[in-house]
Amino acid sequence: MRIPLPPPLRPARGRRPRTAALLTLVVALALTLTLGAQATAAPGGSRPGAGSGAEDTRTYEVRGVSSAAQRSALALQGGVAIDAVHDHSVTITADRATVRRLERLGYLLEELPAGNPAAADGAAALSTPSAYHSYSQTMAAVNSLVSRYPDLMSSRVIGTSYEGRSIVAVKISDNVRTDENEPEILFTHNMHAREHLTTEMALYLLNEFATQYGRDARLTQLLNTREVWVIPSVNPDGKVYDQDSGVFRNWRKNRQPNSGSRYIGTDINRNFAYHWGCCGGSSGSTSSATYRGSGPESAPETRVVTNFVRGRVVGGRQQIRAHIDFHSYSELILWPYGYTYNDTAPGLDADARNAYATVGRQMAASNGYRPQQSSDLYVTDGSINDWMWGSQGIWSYTFEMYPRSSSGGGFYPPGSVIDRETARNREAVLILMDHADCMYDAIGKPALCAS
Ligand code: BZS
Ligand code: CA
Ligand code: CA
Ligand code: ZN
């Protein structure tokens, strides 16, 4: 469906807008303001929106955007949130004013069907907030597992969110109450509020570890020789805001107010302290979906994660060797760096890059995702992967889970896919756990691990 807008305009260079165009602009502005006021008064909104803190956002396909440079340029346009990347187009969320501005710049936009595309199969396919564990249901499921498997699992509160909710880490290993000298692996989930499938991924892993330990030989052996950490929700405030009103709100950031602004939230995945804000891969505007925060680690949730990870330095050595940060959607496996297009950069030499790519491809062969450096998507700065690798030396991937495109339900695929799409990553997770003792084994250079 084409959006009912005037034919694409050329950038108006010094030309006085004609009366009709001016009228359209005034009407659009009034509409935006009205919707803005409504959304402030009743943030519950009746359709997914508000991805950036702006209101009445909709989803569009932008055609003819094919290269990482073109995508990075588009991502920098205020009010644009890139949700998914395809070979020759991207899916974005934007409000009407932004759409008009993009069209004036010459972008070709096509609005995607409103609501959840998965509903096209009939109401039964529609994803509702209750199809996914809420934050409190997630915590209850974690507590139940930990109490049923006390020799294998323990949990601790590693800090609190802006609104004071517990951010919990679960440890899984043999002799779980002892800090053994075993490679540690970290899985983080739900950093972005609306990416609820990633919390399900955490619960899948915890259930799988709990029930298959002592049954599945490979998994048992891995849990006997490694210590695994799972953080099911890095962004509980965002999750609750997105889900608990009963209508999904398409929210991405945390829920921390910004001083002097009516816009809420920081993008946690632009708030980490490695080349923070360096390279045009984040926004300094509070209204943006990729607002980087007032300073590195200005979001409490970022700091909870980094304090926890820094706390895993024992005897001068970082114990966590490998990490996956689960996001959705696009079906990708991404590795650092995000801040530069270059394959290698300070701290990331050719061997490291090759180890990343080799293990990334092995994991991708198991789940059918596409493996690539994260800047092949678009440039980002202040991401968790760059910090984990650049500052802690932890091998750090991002998984962008199901679906591949918005037609599979975007951020809200039907609940019926949860089991399949979480189990789909079982093998990839085991592959990384297996490599965690020495990633350079994967490229036949184990000597690089000796230190
Ligand atoms: C998402 C997309 C994610 C982001 C892409 C990304 C991955 C950036 C790894 C940097 C590193 O939100 O799921 O834009 O944060
Ligand atoms: Ca152990
Ligand atoms: Ca240990
Ligand atoms: Zn994300």
Side-chain angles (χ1 to χ4, degrees), residues 263-283:
Y263 293 107
I264 304 278
T266 292
D267 182 354
I268 302 170
N269 211 23
R270 299 295 185 278
N271 190 236
F272 284 77
Y274 190 77
H275 295 300
W276 177 82
C278 70
C279 302
S282 59
S283 173

Side-chain angles (χ1 to χ4, degrees), residues 307-387:
N307 282 341
F308 169 73
V309 170
R310 283 186 286 254
R312 295 313 306 148
V313 176
V314 178
R317 175 158 197 200
Q318 176 55 256
Q319 300 297 299
I320 301 172
R321 309 280 186 84
H323 165 239
I324 298 173
D325 190 34
F326 284 95
H327 288 251
S328 67
Y329 60 96
S330 284
E331 302 189 0
L332 300 169
I333 293 180
L334 307 171
W335 59 80
Y337 285 121
Y339 79 87
T340 172
Y341 292 124
N342 297 336
D343 293 1
T344 61
L348 183 63
D349 63 14
D351 286 329
R353 187 265 164 206
N354 290 339
Y356 264 118
T358 302
V359 175
R361 287 179 194 130
Q362 284 175 15
M363 293 191 290
S366 77
N367 64 8
Y369 290 7
R370 185 163 71 180
Q372 59 185 35
Q373 186 178 344
S374 87
S375 57
D376 290 347
L377 213 51
Y378 42 81
V379 164
T380 58
D381 43 48
S383 78
I384 190 170
N385 296 144
D386 283 8
W387 181 81

Side-chain angles (χ1 to χ4, degrees), residues 179-182 184 227 312 319:
D179 186 0
E180 298 189 291
N181 185 20
E182 298 168 339
E184 299 183 15
E227 295 179 314
R312 295 313 306 148
Q319 300 297 299

